[in-house]
């Protein structure tokens, strides 16, 4: 039963989470108030660290990485747990909560990084949208899993 549509949804959502893990999720433009406007530096914000213009890494965004890594691995596990549809449904709900937590934490980090940068600008990138698409795909997969469970229960009732 791996060829069900919810398995395709979960596989696509997992792939999108892994792609988001590899790409920068934002660009932080830090301007120093003491220096002139030309003395601004850009930093790439990844899920695991922040890379400054000179290549130095600061490990401050590890929770973003852990949330996406857990959700991607749970999605892969959920695909192969097709024999227990109720557990699959619960796992999809938990994965949705993890992805929602990623978005909340992303918003918190954006506010913290702009505040710590003393007047910088936080620009989200395309990769920041991928967990939202994964969230939508996970919700669609959960709806299909519940529909399959209802179909199986209706068939059992007929027998």
């Amino acid at each position: 039963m791996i060829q069900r549509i919810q398995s395709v949804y979960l596989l696509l959502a997992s792939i999108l989470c892994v792609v988001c893990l590899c790409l920068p999720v934002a660009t932080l433009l830090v301007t120093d108030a003491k220096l002139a406007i030309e003395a601004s530096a850009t930093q790439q914000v990844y899920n695991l660290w922040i890379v400054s213009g000179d290549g130095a890494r600061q490990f401050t965004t590890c929770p973003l990485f852990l949330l996406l890594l857990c959700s991607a691995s749970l999605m892969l596990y959920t695909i192969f747990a097709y024999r227990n549809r109720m557990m699959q449904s619960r796992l999809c709900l938990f994965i949705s909560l993890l992805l929602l937590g990623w978005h909340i934490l992303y918003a918190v980090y954006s506010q913290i990084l702009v505040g710590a940068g003393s007047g910088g600008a936080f620009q989200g990138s395309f990769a920041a949208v991928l967990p939202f698409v994964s969230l939508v795909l996970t919700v669609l997969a959960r709806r299909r899993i519940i529909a399959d469970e209802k179909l199986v229960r209706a068939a059992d009732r007929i027998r």
Side-chain angles (χ1 to χ4, degrees):
M1 291 302 230
I2 296 176
Q3 69 271 15
R4 299 181 304 171
I5 189 70
Q6 55 264 33
S7 299
V8 174
Y9 288 154
L10 288 170
L11 182 64
L12 286 175
S14 177
I15 290 170
L16 289 177
C17 283
V18 170
V19 167
C20 183
L21 284 173
C22 300
L23 295 175
V25 292
T27 302
L28 183 64
L29 179 66
V30 180
T31 57
D32 194 358
K34 298 175 186 173
L35 301 175
I37 300 296
E38 295 83 30
S40 62
T42 60
Q43 297 178 344
Q44 294 291 324
V45 180
Y46 287 86
N47 282 304
L48 186 57
W49 54 64
I50 300 173
V51 178
S52 60
D54 60 354
R57 294 180 180 168
Q58 304 168 356
F59 294 92
T60 58
T61 58
C62 290
L64 288 175
F65 179 78
L66 292 175
L67 283 174
L68 269 186
L69 185 66
C70 288
S71 62
S73 60
L74 278 175
M75 283 179 211
L76 289 176
Y77 175 75
T78 304
I79 291 172
F80 295 105
Y82 59 87
R83 293 175 194 239
N84 191 350
R85 285 176 296 279
M86 293 310 295
M87 185 183 72
Q88 252 188 337
S89 174
R90 288 187 200 112
L91 282 174
C92 283
L93 183 63
F94 182 68
I95 292 166
S96 298
L97 291 175
L98 284 177
L99 291 171
L100 187 63
W102 185 90
H103 283 287
I104 292 170
L105 198 58
Y106 180 76
V108 168
Y109 273 126
S110 70
Q111 294 300 316
I112 289 173
L113 291 173
V114 168
S118 67
F122 187 86
Q123 300 173 346
S125 69
F126 169 73
V129 177
L130 296 178
F132 179 73
V133 176
S134 294
L135 175 67
V136 170
L137 288 172
T138 305
V139 169
L140 288 174
R142 184 171 188 270
R143 290 180 68 195
R144 294 299 299 231
I145 291 168
I146 291 172
D148 277 357
E149 181 65 23
K150 287 180 182 177
L151 185 66
V152 168
R153 288 188 186 207
D156 286 344
R157 196 173 28 241
I158 291 173
R159 287 188 220 169

